[in-house]
Short mmCIF file of all heavy atoms in Angstrom, two decimals:
data_model
loop_
_atom_site.label_atom_id
_atom_site.label_comp_id
_atom_site.label_asym_id
_atom_site.label_seq_id
_atom_site.Cartn_x
_atom_site.Cartn_y
_atom_site.Cartn_z
N ALA W 503 -25.63 -8.75 -13.94
CA ALA W 503 -25.96 -9.32 -12.56
C ALA W 503 -26.39 -8.31 -11.51
O ALA W 503 -26.82 -8.65 -10.42
CB ALA W 503 -24.71 -10.15 -12.08
N SER W 504 -26.11 -6.98 -11.82
CA SER W 504 -26.40 -6.00 -10.94
C SER W 504 -27.83 -5.55 -10.96
O SER W 504 -28.41 -5.12 -11.89
CB SER W 504 -25.46 -4.77 -11.23
OG SER W 504 -25.92 -3.67 -10.42
N GLU W 505 -28.46 -5.73 -9.75
CA GLU W 505 -29.88 -5.40 -9.64
C GLU W 505 -30.10 -3.82 -9.93
O GLU W 505 -31.08 -3.37 -10.48
CB GLU W 505 -30.42 -5.69 -8.24
CG GLU W 505 -31.92 -5.27 -8.01
CD GLU W 505 -32.38 -5.57 -6.62
OE1 GLU W 505 -31.60 -6.02 -5.78
OE2 GLU W 505 -33.51 -5.24 -6.29
N ARG W 506 -29.11 -3.01 -9.46
CA ARG W 506 -29.17 -1.61 -9.68
C ARG W 506 -29.04 -1.21 -11.09
O ARG W 506 -29.84 -0.38 -11.63
CB ARG W 506 -27.98 -0.95 -8.85
CG ARG W 506 -27.97 0.60 -9.00
CD ARG W 506 -26.92 1.15 -7.98
NE ARG W 506 -25.58 0.48 -8.08
CZ ARG W 506 -24.65 0.81 -8.94
NH1 ARG W 506 -24.80 1.76 -9.80
NH2 ARG W 506 -23.50 0.07 -8.87
N ILE W 507 -28.11 -1.92 -11.85
CA ILE W 507 -28.00 -1.57 -13.25
C ILE W 507 -29.25 -1.97 -14.01
O ILE W 507 -29.79 -1.29 -14.89
CB ILE W 507 -26.77 -2.41 -13.87
CG1 ILE W 507 -25.45 -1.96 -13.20
CG2 ILE W 507 -26.70 -2.11 -15.36
CD1 ILE W 507 -25.11 -0.46 -13.42
N ARG W 508 -29.78 -3.14 -13.63
CA ARG W 508 -31.09 -3.53 -14.32
C ARG W 508 -32.22 -2.69 -14.03
O ARG W 508 -32.97 -2.34 -14.92
CB ARG W 508 -31.43 -5.00 -13.81
CG ARG W 508 -30.49 -6.10 -14.22
CD ARG W 508 -31.15 -7.46 -14.01
NE ARG W 508 -31.68 -7.77 -12.76
CZ ARG W 508 -31.05 -8.29 -11.72
NH1 ARG W 508 -29.78 -8.54 -11.90
NH2 ARG W 508 -31.56 -8.47 -10.50
N ARG W 509 -32.29 -2.11 -12.85
CA ARG W 509 -33.41 -1.10 -12.54
C ARG W 509 -33.17 0.14 -13.32
O ARG W 509 -34.16 0.75 -13.82
CB ARG W 509 -33.38 -0.95 -11.01
CG ARG W 509 -34.53 0.06 -10.69
CD ARG W 509 -35.94 -0.48 -10.99
NE ARG W 509 -37.05 0.57 -10.77
CZ ARG W 509 -37.93 0.84 -11.76
NH1 ARG W 509 -37.83 0.24 -12.92
NH2 ARG W 509 -38.81 1.75 -11.52
N MET W 510 -32.02 0.58 -13.45
CA MET W 510 -31.69 1.85 -14.23
C MET W 510 -32.10 1.63 -15.68
O MET W 510 -32.52 2.57 -16.35
CB MET W 510 -30.27 2.36 -13.93
CG MET W 510 -29.97 2.68 -12.58
SD MET W 510 -31.07 3.90 -11.79
CE MET W 510 -30.77 5.37 -12.85
N ARG W 511 -31.75 0.40 -16.17
CA ARG W 511 -32.20 0.12 -17.64
C ARG W 511 -33.69 0.18 -17.74
O ARG W 511 -34.19 0.72 -18.66
CB ARG W 511 -31.67 -1.23 -17.95
CG ARG W 511 -30.21 -1.35 -18.15
CD ARG W 511 -29.85 -2.83 -18.31
NE ARG W 511 -28.44 -2.99 -18.54
CZ ARG W 511 -27.78 -4.29 -18.52
NH1 ARG W 511 -28.50 -5.24 -18.37
NH2 ARG W 511 -26.48 -4.34 -18.72
N GLU W 512 -34.40 -0.34 -16.76
CA GLU W 512 -35.92 -0.24 -16.77
C GLU W 512 -36.39 1.19 -16.74
O GLU W 512 -37.30 1.54 -17.52
CB GLU W 512 -36.45 -1.15 -15.57
CG GLU W 512 -36.29 -2.53 -15.70
CD GLU W 512 -36.63 -3.25 -14.33
OE1 GLU W 512 -36.91 -2.53 -13.44
OE2 GLU W 512 -36.45 -4.45 -14.23
N ILE W 513 -35.80 2.05 -15.91
CA ILE W 513 -36.25 3.33 -15.80
C ILE W 513 -36.07 4.14 -17.12
O ILE W 513 -36.90 4.81 -17.64
CB ILE W 513 -35.48 4.02 -14.69
CG1 ILE W 513 -36.08 3.46 -13.21
CG2 ILE W 513 -35.70 5.62 -14.61
CD1 ILE W 513 -35.26 3.82 -12.04
N VAL W 514 -34.82 3.94 -17.55
CA VAL W 514 -34.46 4.74 -18.92
C VAL W 514 -35.32 4.14 -19.99
O VAL W 514 -35.90 4.87 -20.70
CB VAL W 514 -33.00 4.49 -19.19
CG1 VAL W 514 -32.63 4.86 -20.62
CG2 VAL W 514 -32.15 5.33 -18.23
N GLY W 515 -35.58 2.81 -20.03
CA GLY W 515 -36.36 2.29 -21.13
C GLY W 515 -37.84 2.71 -21.05
O GLY W 515 -38.35 2.87 -22.17
N SER W 516 -38.39 2.81 -19.93
CA SER W 516 -39.76 3.10 -19.78
C SER W 516 -39.97 4.48 -20.17
O SER W 516 -41.11 4.83 -20.89
CB SER W 516 -40.23 2.91 -18.33
OG SER W 516 -39.66 3.87 -17.49
N ARG W 517 -39.08 5.43 -19.95
CA ARG W 517 -39.25 6.80 -20.42
C ARG W 517 -39.07 6.94 -21.95
O ARG W 517 -39.80 7.63 -22.61
CB ARG W 517 -38.29 7.72 -19.74
CG ARG W 517 -38.34 7.86 -18.26
CD ARG W 517 -39.70 8.48 -17.79
NE ARG W 517 -39.68 9.92 -18.06
CZ ARG W 517 -40.69 10.73 -17.53
NH1 ARG W 517 -41.67 10.23 -16.88
NH2 ARG W 517 -40.62 12.07 -17.84
N LEU W 518 -38.19 6.17 -22.42
CA LEU W 518 -38.06 6.12 -23.95
C LEU W 518 -39.29 5.62 -24.61
O LEU W 518 -39.82 6.15 -25.64
CB LEU W 518 -36.84 5.26 -24.41
CG LEU W 518 -35.45 5.93 -24.15
CD1 LEU W 518 -34.43 4.89 -24.64
CD2 LEU W 518 -35.32 7.27 -24.80
N VAL W 519 -39.79 4.53 -24.16
CA VAL W 519 -40.98 3.92 -24.70
C VAL W 519 -42.26 4.88 -24.59
O VAL W 519 -42.96 5.00 -25.63
CB VAL W 519 -41.34 2.55 -24.06
CG1 VAL W 519 -42.66 1.98 -24.51
CG2 VAL W 519 -40.24 1.54 -24.39
N ALA W 520 -42.28 5.53 -23.50
CA ALA W 520 -43.47 6.46 -23.32
C ALA W 520 -43.31 7.75 -24.02
O ALA W 520 -44.19 8.53 -24.14
CB ALA W 520 -43.67 6.75 -21.84
N GLY W 521 -42.01 8.02 -24.50
CA GLY W 521 -41.81 9.36 -25.10
C GLY W 521 -41.86 10.46 -24.15
O GLY W 521 -42.27 11.59 -24.44
N SER W 522 -41.52 10.20 -22.88
CA SER W 522 -41.59 11.19 -21.76
C SER W 522 -40.18 11.77 -21.48
O SER W 522 -39.20 11.08 -21.67
CB SER W 522 -42.07 10.55 -20.51
OG SER W 522 -43.40 9.92 -20.71
N PRO W 523 -40.13 13.03 -21.19
CA PRO W 523 -38.83 13.77 -20.99
C PRO W 523 -37.88 13.06 -20.06
O PRO W 523 -38.23 12.70 -18.97
CB PRO W 523 -39.19 15.14 -20.54
CG PRO W 523 -40.61 15.26 -21.08
CD PRO W 523 -41.29 14.05 -21.03
N LEU W 524 -36.61 12.92 -20.56
CA LEU W 524 -35.68 12.19 -19.84
C LEU W 524 -34.25 12.84 -20.01
O LEU W 524 -33.87 13.23 -21.19
CB LEU W 524 -35.48 10.73 -20.29
CG LEU W 524 -34.29 9.93 -19.86
CD1 LEU W 524 -34.45 9.56 -18.40
CD2 LEU W 524 -34.11 8.58 -20.71
N LEU W 525 -33.60 13.05 -18.94
CA LEU W 525 -32.12 13.40 -18.96
C LEU W 525 -31.42 12.34 -18.28
O LEU W 525 -31.67 12.02 -17.07
CB LEU W 525 -31.88 14.74 -18.29
CG LEU W 525 -30.40 15.12 -18.13
CD1 LEU W 525 -29.77 15.49 -19.52
CD2 LEU W 525 -30.23 16.31 -17.28
N ALA W 526 -30.34 11.68 -18.91
CA ALA W 526 -29.55 10.66 -18.28
C ALA W 526 -28.14 11.13 -18.11
O ALA W 526 -27.57 11.81 -18.98
CB ALA W 526 -29.57 9.41 -19.24
N VAL W 527 -27.65 10.88 -16.91
CA VAL W 527 -26.26 11.45 -16.51
C VAL W 527 -25.27 10.25 -16.18
O VAL W 527 -25.62 9.41 -15.52
CB VAL W 527 -26.45 12.36 -15.30
CG1 VAL W 527 -25.10 12.88 -14.82
CG2 VAL W 527 -27.40 13.42 -15.52
N CYS W 528 -24.12 10.31 -16.80
CA CYS W 528 -23.02 9.46 -16.52
C CYS W 528 -23.35 7.89 -16.59
O CYS W 528 -23.54 7.58 -17.83
CB CYS W 528 -22.44 9.74 -15.12
SG CYS W 528 -20.75 9.10 -14.91
N LEU W 529 -23.45 7.20 -15.57
CA LEU W 529 -23.89 5.91 -15.66
C LEU W 529 -25.18 5.73 -16.45
O LEU W 529 -25.22 4.81 -17.35
CB LEU W 529 -24.01 5.20 -14.31
CG LEU W 529 -24.55 3.70 -14.26
CD1 LEU W 529 -23.47 2.81 -14.82
CD2 LEU W 529 -24.99 3.38 -12.92
N SER W 530 -26.13 6.49 -16.25
CA SER W 530 -27.39 6.43 -16.99
C SER W 530 -27.28 6.84 -18.42
O SER W 530 -28.08 6.37 -19.27
CB SER W 530 -28.48 7.23 -16.24
OG SER W 530 -28.76 6.73 -14.96
N HIS W 531 -26.31 7.71 -18.75
CA HIS W 531 -26.04 8.07 -20.05
C HIS W 531 -25.51 6.78 -20.84
O HIS W 531 -25.93 6.52 -21.95
CB HIS W 531 -24.92 9.14 -20.07
CG HIS W 531 -24.23 9.20 -21.37
ND1 HIS W 531 -24.54 9.94 -22.52
CD2 HIS W 531 -22.92 8.69 -21.70
CE1 HIS W 531 -23.60 9.84 -23.42
NE2 HIS W 531 -22.63 9.10 -22.93
N GLN W 532 -24.66 6.03 -20.11
CA GLN W 532 -24.18 4.82 -20.70
C GLN W 532 -25.25 3.72 -20.86
O GLN W 532 -25.35 3.03 -22.00
CB GLN W 532 -22.99 4.24 -19.88
CG GLN W 532 -21.85 5.13 -19.79
CD GLN W 532 -20.99 4.80 -18.56
OE1 GLN W 532 -21.16 3.87 -17.83
NE2 GLN W 532 -20.00 5.73 -18.24
N VAL W 533 -26.11 3.73 -19.91
CA VAL W 533 -27.36 2.82 -20.06
C VAL W 533 -28.26 3.18 -21.23
O VAL W 533 -28.70 2.30 -22.00
CB VAL W 533 -28.17 2.83 -18.73
CG1 VAL W 533 -29.45 2.24 -18.86
CG2 VAL W 533 -27.33 2.18 -17.66
N LEU W 534 -28.48 4.50 -21.33
CA LEU W 534 -29.28 4.99 -22.45
C LEU W 534 -28.46 4.57 -23.89
O LEU W 534 -29.13 4.17 -24.78
CB LEU W 534 -29.47 6.52 -22.39
CG LEU W 534 -30.05 7.20 -23.61
CD1 LEU W 534 -31.49 6.70 -23.89
CD2 LEU W 534 -29.99 8.70 -23.47
N ALA W 535 -27.24 4.87 -23.90
CA ALA W 535 -26.49 4.54 -25.13
C ALA W 535 -26.63 3.02 -25.43
O ALA W 535 -26.77 2.77 -26.65
CB ALA W 535 -25.02 4.97 -24.97
N ASP W 536 -26.45 2.22 -24.48
CA ASP W 536 -26.62 0.80 -24.71
C ASP W 536 -28.04 0.43 -25.28
O ASP W 536 -28.14 -0.30 -26.18
CB ASP W 536 -26.38 -0.01 -23.42
CG ASP W 536 -26.45 -1.48 -23.58
OD1 ASP W 536 -25.70 -2.00 -24.30
OD2 ASP W 536 -27.41 -2.08 -22.93
N ARG W 537 -29.07 1.13 -24.77
CA ARG W 537 -30.39 0.84 -25.20
C ARG W 537 -30.58 1.35 -26.68
O ARG W 537 -31.38 0.78 -27.40
CB ARG W 537 -31.40 1.72 -24.35
CG ARG W 537 -32.81 1.79 -24.75
CD ARG W 537 -33.65 0.54 -24.43
NE ARG W 537 -34.94 0.57 -24.90
CZ ARG W 537 -36.03 0.00 -24.39
NH1 ARG W 537 -35.80 -0.66 -23.18
NH2 ARG W 537 -37.14 0.02 -24.83
N LEU W 538 -29.85 2.33 -27.09
CA LEU W 538 -29.84 2.89 -28.42
C LEU W 538 -28.97 2.05 -29.34
O LEU W 538 -28.86 2.46 -30.54
CB LEU W 538 -29.57 4.42 -28.43
CG LEU W 538 -30.54 5.32 -27.69
CD1 LEU W 538 -29.90 6.61 -27.64
CD2 LEU W 538 -31.88 5.33 -28.31
N GLY W 539 -28.30 1.07 -28.84
CA GLY W 539 -27.46 0.21 -29.69
C GLY W 539 -26.02 0.64 -29.80
O GLY W 539 -25.33 0.21 -30.76
#
Side-chain angles (χ1 to χ4, degrees):
S504 167
E505 181 184 0
R506 178 170 51 85
I507 299 294
R508 293 198 305 270
R509 180 64 188 125
M510 296 309 293
R511 289 173 179 170
E512 292 169 357
I513 290 167
V514 167
S516 68
R517 296 294 288 190
L518 285 181
V519 169
S522 301
L524 168 72
L525 174 68
V527 178
C528 197
L529 175 70
S530 294
H531 157 84
Q532 296 161 9
V533 168
L534 172 65
D536 181 62
R537 172 81 183 212
L538 296 172

